[in-house]
Amino acid sequence: MTTVDDFETGIREAEPAYVDIDSIDLRLGADSLVWKFYGDVRGLLGFQRLAGTENCIEQLAQGVEDHSVIFSDFLGRARRSGPPIMRTVYSDQPHEWGRRVRDFHRDIKGTISDGSRYHALNPELYYWAHATFVDQVLFVTDTFIRRLSYEEKVQIFEESKTWYQLYGVSARSQPQTYDEFCRYWESMCDKFVPTRTIMYATGYLRHGVPGPKWLPKPVWRVLAAPLNGFFQTVIVGTLPRQMREVCELDWSPAKQRRFDRFAAFMRGINPVINRLPVR
Protein backbone atom coordinates (compact mmCIF):
# COMPACT_ATOMS: atom_id res chain seq x y z
CA MET A 1 0.00 0.00 0.00
CA THR A 2 2.05 2.96 -1.24
CA THR A 3 -0.19 5.20 -3.38
CA VAL A 4 -1.56 8.51 -2.17
CA ASP A 5 -5.12 7.14 -2.20
CA ASP A 6 -4.07 4.15 -0.09
CA PHE A 7 -2.37 6.48 2.38
CA GLU A 8 -5.52 8.54 2.76
CA THR A 9 -7.63 5.44 3.28
CA GLY A 10 -5.24 3.74 5.68
CA ILE A 11 -4.41 6.72 7.86
CA ARG A 12 -8.08 7.42 8.56
CA GLU A 13 -8.45 4.01 10.15
CA ALA A 14 -6.58 5.61 13.08
CA GLU A 15 -5.88 2.24 14.68
CA PRO A 16 -2.57 0.75 15.88
CA ALA A 17 -1.35 -2.39 14.10
CA TYR A 18 1.34 -4.37 15.90
CA VAL A 19 3.44 -7.30 14.71
CA ASP A 20 5.40 -9.84 16.75
CA ILE A 21 9.16 -9.39 16.51
CA ASP A 22 10.27 -11.48 19.49
CA SER A 23 10.94 -14.57 17.38
CA ILE A 24 13.01 -12.69 14.75
CA ASP A 25 16.71 -11.93 15.13
CA LEU A 26 16.93 -8.34 13.91
CA ARG A 27 19.97 -6.11 14.13
CA LEU A 28 21.73 -3.41 12.12
CA GLY A 29 25.38 -4.33 12.50
CA ALA A 30 28.56 -2.33 12.05
CA ASP A 31 28.76 -3.52 8.43
CA SER A 32 25.54 -1.70 7.53
CA LEU A 33 25.49 1.71 5.87
CA VAL A 34 22.76 2.92 8.23
CA TRP A 35 25.11 2.14 11.15
CA LYS A 36 27.97 3.92 9.37
CA PHE A 37 26.15 7.14 8.51
CA TYR A 38 23.10 7.64 10.77
CA GLY A 39 25.08 8.66 13.85
CA ASP A 40 27.50 10.93 12.00
CA VAL A 41 27.68 14.35 13.64
CA ARG A 42 26.95 15.96 10.28
CA GLY A 43 23.45 14.58 10.65
CA LEU A 44 22.77 17.70 12.73
CA LEU A 45 22.74 19.66 9.48
CA GLY A 46 19.67 17.66 8.48
CA PHE A 47 17.81 18.03 11.76
CA GLN A 48 15.37 20.66 10.48
CA ARG A 49 14.68 18.57 7.37
CA LEU A 50 13.95 15.56 9.56
CA ALA A 51 11.77 17.29 12.14
CA GLY A 52 10.17 19.58 9.59
CA THR A 53 9.07 17.06 7.00
CA GLU A 54 7.54 14.94 9.76
CA ASN A 55 5.42 17.82 10.98
CA CYS A 56 4.19 19.01 7.60
CA ILE A 57 1.76 16.07 7.63
CA GLU A 58 -1.29 17.18 9.60
CA GLN A 59 -1.94 14.02 11.60
CA LEU A 60 1.63 13.83 12.90
CA ALA A 61 1.81 17.53 13.64
CA GLN A 62 -1.47 17.37 15.54
CA GLY A 63 -0.12 14.51 17.62
CA VAL A 64 2.93 16.59 18.51
CA GLU A 65 0.74 19.57 19.36
CA ASP A 66 -1.68 17.53 21.46
CA HIS A 67 0.77 15.32 23.33
CA SER A 68 4.21 16.93 23.53
CA VAL A 69 5.89 19.99 25.02
CA ILE A 70 7.17 21.37 21.73
CA PHE A 71 5.82 24.86 22.40
CA SER A 72 7.27 25.09 25.92
CA ASP A 73 10.43 22.98 25.66
CA PHE A 74 11.38 22.64 21.99
CA LEU A 75 15.02 21.59 22.47
CA GLY A 76 14.19 19.37 25.43
CA ARG A 77 11.74 17.39 23.32
CA ALA A 78 14.41 16.84 20.66
CA ARG A 79 16.92 15.65 23.25
CA ARG A 80 14.44 13.16 24.68
CA SER A 81 13.25 11.83 21.32
CA GLY A 82 16.56 11.36 19.53
CA PRO A 83 18.59 9.01 21.77
CA PRO A 84 16.02 6.17 22.03
CA ILE A 85 15.67 6.06 18.23
CA MET A 86 19.45 6.09 17.86
CA ARG A 87 19.69 3.14 20.25
CA THR A 88 17.53 1.03 17.94
CA VAL A 89 20.54 1.17 15.60
CA TYR A 90 23.53 1.23 17.95
CA SER A 91 22.61 -0.52 21.20
CA ASP A 92 23.11 -4.22 21.90
CA GLN A 93 19.38 -4.46 22.69
CA PRO A 94 17.73 -3.09 19.55
CA HIS A 95 14.48 -5.04 20.09
CA GLU A 96 14.04 -3.57 23.55
CA TRP A 97 14.68 -0.03 22.35
CA GLY A 98 12.47 -0.48 19.30
CA ARG A 99 9.57 -1.58 21.45
CA ARG A 100 10.24 1.24 23.88
CA VAL A 101 10.09 3.84 21.11
CA ARG A 102 6.88 2.27 19.80
CA ASP A 103 5.29 2.19 23.25
CA PHE A 104 6.01 5.88 23.77
CA HIS A 105 3.29 6.36 21.13
CA ARG A 106 0.57 4.02 22.42
CA ASP A 107 -1.67 6.78 23.74
CA ILE A 108 -0.95 9.43 21.12
CA LYS A 109 -4.29 9.83 19.37
CA GLY A 110 -6.91 12.48 18.71
CA THR A 111 -8.59 14.33 15.86
CA ILE A 112 -7.44 16.73 13.14
CA SER A 113 -9.10 19.83 11.69
CA ASP A 114 -11.68 17.94 9.62
CA GLY A 115 -12.78 15.90 12.64
CA SER A 116 -11.21 12.63 11.48
CA ARG A 117 -9.17 10.62 13.96
CA TYR A 118 -5.45 9.90 14.05
CA HIS A 119 -3.34 7.41 16.00
CA ALA A 120 0.46 7.56 16.12
CA LEU A 121 0.74 3.77 15.73
CA ASN A 122 -1.44 3.65 12.64
CA PRO A 123 0.98 2.06 10.11
CA GLU A 124 0.64 4.83 7.52
CA LEU A 125 1.47 7.54 10.06
CA TYR A 126 4.18 5.61 11.88
CA TYR A 127 5.92 4.67 8.65
CA TRP A 128 5.92 8.30 7.54
CA ALA A 129 7.78 9.23 10.73
CA HIS A 130 10.29 6.44 10.04
CA ALA A 131 10.64 7.50 6.39
CA THR A 132 11.91 10.92 7.48
CA PHE A 133 14.81 9.21 9.28
CA VAL A 134 15.57 7.10 6.21
CA ASP A 135 15.53 10.25 4.10
CA GLN A 136 17.84 11.99 6.59
CA VAL A 137 20.46 9.24 6.23
CA LEU A 138 20.22 9.35 2.45
CA PHE A 139 20.13 13.13 2.08
CA VAL A 140 22.76 14.10 4.67
CA THR A 141 25.21 11.45 3.52
CA ASP A 142 24.87 12.28 -0.17
CA THR A 143 24.92 16.05 0.42
CA PHE A 144 27.42 16.63 3.23
CA ILE A 145 29.54 13.47 3.60
CA ARG A 146 30.11 11.86 0.21
CA ARG A 147 28.15 11.08 -2.92
CA LEU A 148 26.32 7.77 -2.68
CA SER A 149 26.07 5.39 -5.59
CA TYR A 150 22.65 4.16 -6.63
CA GLU A 151 23.55 0.74 -5.22
CA GLU A 152 24.41 2.28 -1.84
CA LYS A 153 21.10 4.13 -1.75
CA VAL A 154 19.33 0.84 -2.45
CA GLN A 155 21.31 -0.80 0.37
CA ILE A 156 20.38 1.94 2.86
CA PHE A 157 16.72 1.57 1.94
CA GLU A 158 16.85 -2.21 2.31
CA GLU A 159 18.52 -1.83 5.71
CA SER A 160 15.81 0.63 6.70
CA LYS A 161 13.30 -2.21 6.43
CA THR A 162 15.12 -4.02 9.25
CA TRP A 163 15.23 -0.77 11.21
CA TYR A 164 11.47 -0.38 10.85
CA GLN A 165 10.83 -3.99 11.85
CA LEU A 166 12.47 -3.31 15.21
CA TYR A 167 9.48 -1.18 16.20
CA GLY A 168 6.97 -3.99 15.85
CA VAL A 169 4.48 -1.97 13.80
CA SER A 170 2.85 -3.27 10.62
CA ALA A 171 4.84 -2.53 7.45
CA ARG A 172 1.78 -2.55 5.20
CA SER A 173 2.50 1.00 3.95
CA GLN A 174 6.23 0.49 3.43
CA PRO A 175 7.48 0.77 -0.16
CA GLN A 176 9.12 -2.40 -1.38
CA THR A 177 12.00 -0.93 -3.39
CA TYR A 178 14.20 2.15 -3.26
CA ASP A 179 12.59 3.53 -6.43
CA GLU A 180 9.15 3.08 -4.86
CA PHE A 181 10.43 4.88 -1.77
CA CYS A 182 11.51 7.86 -3.90
CA ARG A 183 8.05 8.07 -5.48
CA TYR A 184 6.43 7.66 -2.06
CA TRP A 185 8.58 10.48 -0.66
CA GLU A 186 7.61 12.90 -3.43
CA SER A 187 3.92 12.04 -3.08
CA MET A 188 4.09 12.71 0.67
CA CYS A 189 5.91 16.02 0.17
CA ASP A 190 3.08 17.07 -2.13
CA LYS A 191 0.69 16.58 0.82
CA PHE A 192 2.46 19.08 3.08
CA VAL A 193 0.34 21.71 4.83
CA PRO A 194 1.29 24.68 7.05
CA THR A 195 0.52 23.09 10.41
CA ARG A 196 0.74 25.17 13.57
CA THR A 197 3.58 22.93 14.77
CA ILE A 198 5.75 23.42 11.70
CA MET A 199 5.12 27.15 11.43
CA TYR A 200 6.21 27.52 15.04
CA ALA A 201 9.24 25.28 14.58
CA THR A 202 10.49 27.23 11.55
CA GLY A 203 9.84 30.72 12.93
CA TYR A 204 13.55 31.29 13.54
CA LEU A 205 14.18 30.72 9.82
CA ARG A 206 11.72 33.45 8.82
CA HIS A 207 12.33 36.00 11.56
CA GLY A 208 15.81 35.22 12.85
CA VAL A 209 17.01 33.54 16.03
CA PRO A 210 15.49 35.25 19.09
CA GLY A 211 18.05 36.85 21.37
CA PRO A 212 18.31 36.95 25.15
CA LYS A 213 15.84 39.34 26.73
CA TRP A 214 18.57 41.28 28.56
CA LEU A 215 20.38 42.18 25.32
CA PRO A 216 19.18 45.25 23.35
CA LYS A 217 17.55 44.15 20.10
CA PRO A 218 19.73 46.31 17.81
CA VAL A 219 22.84 44.74 19.33
CA TRP A 220 21.45 41.25 18.92
CA ARG A 221 20.56 41.90 15.26
CA VAL A 222 24.21 42.68 14.56
CA LEU A 223 25.57 39.77 16.58
CA ALA A 224 23.09 37.27 15.16
CA ALA A 225 23.48 38.28 11.50
CA PRO A 226 26.09 35.58 10.64
CA LEU A 227 24.09 32.90 12.46
CA ASN A 228 20.86 33.88 10.75
CA GLY A 229 22.63 33.97 7.39
CA PHE A 230 23.90 30.43 7.95
CA PHE A 231 20.48 29.14 8.98
CA GLN A 232 18.63 30.87 6.16
CA THR A 233 21.03 29.47 3.56
CA VAL A 234 22.36 26.13 4.80
CA ILE A 235 19.43 24.94 6.90
CA VAL A 236 16.73 26.19 4.53
CA GLY A 237 18.78 24.68 1.70
CA THR A 238 18.33 21.21 3.16
CA LEU A 239 14.54 21.44 3.02
CA PRO A 240 12.42 20.00 0.22
CA ARG A 241 10.92 22.57 -2.11
CA GLN A 242 7.42 21.76 -0.89
CA MET A 243 8.37 22.47 2.71
CA ARG A 244 10.02 25.80 1.85
CA GLU A 245 6.84 26.84 0.04
CA VAL A 246 4.50 25.71 2.82
CA CYS A 247 6.61 27.40 5.50
CA GLU A 248 6.99 30.63 3.48
CA LEU A 249 10.79 30.40 3.51
CA ASP A 250 12.57 32.63 1.02
CA TRP A 251 14.78 30.87 -1.51
CA SER A 252 16.57 31.96 -4.67
CA PRO A 253 19.06 30.70 -7.26
CA ALA A 254 21.80 32.71 -5.50
CA LYS A 255 21.06 30.98 -2.17
CA GLN A 256 21.03 27.63 -3.96
CA ARG A 257 24.50 28.34 -5.35
CA ARG A 258 25.80 29.27 -1.89
CA PHE A 259 24.26 26.13 -0.44
CA ASP A 260 25.83 23.99 -3.17
CA ARG A 261 29.26 25.51 -2.45
CA PHE A 262 28.89 24.81 1.26
CA ALA A 263 27.82 21.21 0.59
CA ALA A 264 30.77 20.69 -1.77
CA PHE A 265 33.11 22.11 0.88
CA MET A 266 31.74 19.68 3.48
CA ARG A 267 32.20 16.73 1.13
CA GLY A 268 35.70 17.99 0.33
CA ILE A 269 36.83 17.90 3.95
CA ASN A 270 35.32 14.46 4.54
CA PRO A 271 38.76 12.76 4.68
CA VAL A 272 39.79 15.17 7.45
CA ILE A 273 36.59 14.63 9.44
CA ASN A 274 36.99 10.87 9.12
CA ARG A 275 40.30 11.12 10.98
CA LEU A 276 38.66 12.71 14.02
CA PRO A 277 37.92 10.53 17.07
CA VAL A 278 34.85 8.38 16.38
CA ARG A 279 33.10 9.42 19.59
Side-chain angles (χ1 to χ4, degrees):
M1 184 187 296
T2 59
T3 68
V4 176
D5 289 341
D6 287 338
F7 174 85
E8 291 292 349
T9 300
I11 201 168
R12 289 175 185 273
E13 292 179 6
E15 294 290 342
Y18 306 121
V19 294
D20 178 24
I21 61 171
D22 291 334
S23 60
I24 308 173
D25 183 20
L26 296 171
R27 188 178 299 273
L28 286 164
D31 59 340
S32 72
L33 292 180
V34 168
W35 174 292
K36 181 175 182 178
F37 294 121
Y38 172 51
D40 192 289
V41 68
R42 285 162 285 187
L44 292 173
L45 292 170
F47 172 76
Q48 185 64 84
R49 180 182 176 99
L50 167 68
T53 51
E54 277 192 356
N55 287 289
C56 282
I57 295 298
E58 185 177 8
Q59 289 86 348
L60 198 150
Q62 192 65 50
V64 170
E65 183 174 340
D66 291 345
H67 298 276
S68 85
V69 293
I70 186 172
F71 297 111
S72 59
D73 188 14
F74 181 77
L75 293 178
R77 178 184 182 274
R79 287 193 294 267
R80 287 187 293 274
S81 301
I85 296 173
M86 188 163 284
R87 289 184 178 111
T88 63
V89 175
Y90 295 108
S91 80
D92 57 2
Q93 297 176 309
H95 287 75
E96 177 183 329
W97 281 102
R99 281 193 297 269
R100 187 176 299 188
V101 170
R102 179 195 68 190
D103 291 347
F104 288 160
H105 299 83
R106 281 186 181 272
D107 298 321
I108 298 179
K109 56 187 176 179
T111 58
I112 60 172
S113 59
D114 65 2
S116 63
R117 297 178 302 125
Y118 71 84
H119 195 297
L121 293 178
N122 171 270
E124 283 67 38
L125 192 56
Y126 201 79
Y127 184 77
W128 168 244
H130 175 67
T132 62
F133 284 85
V134 181
D135 168 77
Q136 183 193 30
V137 177
L138 290 164
F139 179 85
V140 168
T141 304
D142 193 59
T143 305
F144 297 121
I145 300 177
R146 67 169 175 80
R147 292 300 193 190
L148 292 168
S149 67
Y150 176 79
E151 291 73 22
E152 288 174 320
K153 293 176 181 179
V154 169
Q155 181 179 336
I156 289 172
F157 171 73
E158 290 298 324
E159 291 169 356
S160 79
K161 293 180 181 180
T162 299
W163 191 1
Y164 186 72
Q165 277 185 283
L166 288 167
Y167 298 121
V169 177
S170 167
R172 72 186 186 193
S173 64
Q174 177 176 253
Q176 295 306 300
T177 68
Y178 169 69
D179 290 334
E180 285 184 9
F181 177 82
C182 292
R183 292 193 292 272
Y184 164 82
W185 180 262
E186 282 302 311
S187 73
M188 291 298 291
C189 288
D190 288 340
K191 292 170 58 62
F192 286 177
V193 294
T195 66
R196 178 170 178 253
T197 301
I198 195 55
M199 296 306 286
Y200 172 81
T202 56
Y204 75 102
L205 295 173
R206 285 186 300 278
H207 309 299
V209 178
K213 293 181 179 179
W214 54 265
L215 193 66
K217 289 184 179 180
V219 175
W220 176 247
R221 278 197 296 271
V222 174
L223 295 177
L227 185 62
N228 288 328
F230 175 84
F231 286 156
Q232 291 166 2
T233 299
V234 173
I235 302 305
V236 174
T238 67
L239 307 181
R241 169 189 56 79
Q242 297 94 327
M243 182 177 166
R244 289 198 295 260
E245 292 174 356
V246 160
C247 296
E248 301 175 2
L249 296 169
D250 179 60
W251 197 243
S252 67
K255 286 187 175 182
Q256 183 66 53
R257 289 191 293 271
R258 289 197 292 272
F259 175 81
D260 291 341
R261 287 195 294 269
F262 175 81
F265 169 77
M266 292 298 295
R267 294 194 301 272
I269 64 172
N270 186 47
V272 176
I273 295 176
N274 285 341
R275 292 190 178 92
L276 297 176
V278 172
R279 184 171 184 83

